[in-house]
Amino acid sequence: MIARRLFTQNYRNLISGDIEFTDGVNVISGQNGQGKTNLLEALCLFTGVRSFRGAKNAELITKGEKYARMELDFFAEKREQSASLVITDKKQATLNGVKQAAATGFIGRFCAVVFSPDNMSLVKGGSNERRRFIDAAISQQFPTYPRLLVEYNRILAQRNAFLKKSATTAGFESMLDIWDETLSQTGARISYKRAEYVARLEGKTAEIFDGISSGRDSIGLRYSCNYLNPESLIETAAALKQQLASHRVSDLAQGCTNYGAHRDDLHISVNDMAARSYASQGQKRSCVLALKLAEASLLEEAAGERPIAVLDDVMSELDGLRQDYLLNHMDGWQVFISCCDPHTVKGLDKGRIIEVEKGKCRVKQNGC
């Protein structure tokens, strides 16, 4: 999958016009506040999902204008394709001349894996951040998985509501038996699927992390679920049901469900030590990068297309060897890297440097 050309009009602070990309590494260079991330954000909107910055439609339009318009030429599915977006209070999308019902029509047609500073919560944040990462990654490969999550959360909310009022409800024990049965069946399917995915993710992540660190460090992943039997979905469901039953008293006292798929976690280690507590800032950043790129590699295996890699503000806190890997050794990837430090781009052996200043994008160097 290759992005060829991006056109923007009235998009944030970007000056209207075209920018062409190279198939390899594209470094988006410039000082803070000039529009580097805006350019990456505009590109990623063609994946069909909302802005990776969480922006609303109105925030994407240049102040004083009524709309923003964008066009993307890209290569995917063994052919050249084109897409366009018009943003007002909603998004109007067109793919290869065919109007789409919504921008979500781009999903699966143009794919990107995105690293932004917010992704550091994968290592630094709580378990909910890591569960969200796994669930989002699985959802890209298995379209029915999001419905399973919705169903689980619905059952969980109903069980929690019942726990809060059960003390005054006649026959609450038999009612809880019903909730426990449905929650354990659904929760087991989620935990089982997550564990399968992490097992596949681990090898890819270790390989990429080894490259980023030049073999100096190692990463480990472990899916933490205290009722999981990786050999049997049926036994996993039975074990979860047993836990729900044995901890019913504490659940009643607290008015919430303390065991289930909503409590699972992904443990990340560097050199056999917990990354969250002991890894350096550069090592933590390398962990997140390796996880995101490994996610893209698994998506490529499933879909037959390698997503583009969009790395926003990734170079800070990485030493020279790690920066060199991203700039010069990601063979087979189309990469977009934003950076502020002018010394960083001097390490680029070949590729394209796109300088952004006050919203104006210009090709400063093309070594390909």
Side-chain angles (χ1 to χ4, degrees):
M1 193 164 293
I2 301 293
R4 304 285 197 203
R5 177 192 69 96
L6 177 69
F7 169 83
T8 64
Q9 180 185 17
N10 303 336
Y11 189 86
R12 290 197 184 261
N13 80 322
L14 296 180
I15 303 299
S16 299
D18 287 301
I19 189 71
E20 294 185 352
F21 307 118
T22 187
D23 293 2
V25 177
N26 298 268
V27 176
I28 317 300
S29 174
Q31 296 302 308
N32 288 327
Q34 301 303 301
K36 301 187 303 298
T37 301
N38 294 344
L39 177 60
L40 298 180
E41 177 189 46
L43 179 63
C44 289
L45 285 181
F46 285 95
T47 62
V49 299
R50 66 179 301 183
S51 161
F52 62 78
R53 301 154 91 179
K56 299 177 181 178
N57 285 349
E59 297 170 325
L60 305 177
I61 303 170
T62 302
K63 188 175 181 180
E65 300 293 344
K66 296 181 179 180
Y67 70 93
R69 184 168 68 91
M70 300 182 294
E71 300 172 359
L72 178 68
D73 295 336
F74 65 100
F75 181 84
E77 300 173 305
K78 300 180 180 180
R79 62 192 177 104
E80 301 291 343
Q81 303 191 53
S82 62
S84 66
L85 268 176
V86 176
I87 303 172
T88 53
D89 57 337
K90 59 182 180 180
K91 294 186 179 80
Q92 302 171 45
T94 302
L95 179 64
N96 299 320
V98 179
K99 186 175 180 180
Q100 306 294 300
T104 52
F106 294 150
I107 293 176
R109 308 301 295 274
F110 180 73
C111 302
V113 58
V114 181
F115 171 94
S116 72
D118 289 345
N119 294 138
M120 292 302 295
S121 60
L122 267 175
V123 176
K124 297 180 178 181
S127 60
N128 60 313
E129 298 289 345
R130 291 178 286 278
R131 287 193 299 271
R132 189 178 297 117
F133 163 72
I134 298 171
D135 289 338
I138 295 173
S139 296
Q140 289 192 78
Q141 295 188 31
F142 301 95
T144 60
Y145 184 74
R147 293 200 293 272
L148 188 63
L149 294 172
V150 170
E151 177 68 6
Y152 179 84
N153 288 327
R154 182 187 66 80
I155 298 168
L156 178 65
Q158 290 175 339
R159 186 181 192 270
N160 287 341
F162 188 78
L163 285 169
K164 288 181 173 66
K165 66 177 183 180
S166 61
T168 59
T169 303
F172 73 90
E173 289 279 356
S174 60
M175 288 297 296
L176 274 177
D177 287 341
I178 296 173
W179 293 127
D180 289 1
E181 177 67 29
T182 55
L183 192 72
S184 61
Q185 293 295 326
T186 309
R189 290 169 64 193
I190 291 171
S191 296
Y192 202 78
K193 197 70 176 176
R194 287 174 179 167
E196 281 184 337
Y197 182 81
V198 171
R200 294 170 55 218
L201 186 72
E202 183 177 21
K204 294 285 186 183
T205 304
E207 179 183 345
I208 294 169
F209 189 85
D210 183 73
I212 293 174
S213 69
S214 298
R216 295 172 296 172
D217 300 312
S218 62
I219 189 172
L221 304 180
R222 179 175 62 83
Y223 187 67
S224 175
C225 174
N226 58 9
Y227 54 84
L228 178 71
N229 182 333
E231 304 299 325
S232 171
L233 177 59
I234 293 175
E235 291 186 17
T236 297
L240 175 54
K241 185 179 178 180
Q242 176 60 40
Q243 284 202 357
L244 291 171
S246 62
H247 293 89
R248 185 171 289 181
V249 173
S250 60
D251 283 358
L252 285 165
Q254 297 176 45
C256 64
T257 304
N258 290 291
Y259 291 86
H262 61 294
R263 299 293 190 182
D264 295 350
D265 199 357
L266 174 66
H267 290 293
I268 306 169
S269 61
V270 173
N271 301 330
D272 297 321
M273 308 211 27
R276 182 178 182 180
S277 301
Y278 298 103
S280 68
Q281 292 304 309
Q283 288 172 325
K284 289 176 180 176
R285 192 159 290 233
S286 298
C287 286
V288 178
L289 272 169
L291 283 166
K292 298 292 285 184
L293 294 174
E295 173 198 352
S297 293
L298 291 181
L299 183 60
E300 178 188 9
E301 289 181 359
E305 295 273 355
R306 172 168 284 186
I308 65 170
V310 176
L311 312 178
D312 185 32
D313 190 24
V314 70
M315 292 301 202
S316 59
E317 298 176 340
L318 294 183
D319 59 31
L321 285 174
R322 288 179 168 87
Q323 290 183 1
D324 178 68
Y325 176 85
L326 296 178
L327 289 172
N328 302 311
H329 299 285
M330 289 186 60
D331 298 333
W333 292 84
Q334 186 183 34
V335 186
F336 296 82
I337 304 176
S338 69
C339 70
C340 298
D341 187 354
H343 296 289
T344 299
V345 297
K346 292 180 180 178
L348 182 66
D349 292 340
K350 60 180 181 178
R352 180 164 294 182
I353 298 172
I354 300 169
E355 188 174 69
V356 183
E357 184 176 6
K358 296 181 180 178
K360 184 174 178 59
C361 305
R362 67 183 182 92
V363 176
K364 186 177 180 182
Q365 172 185 321
N366 187 5
C368 291

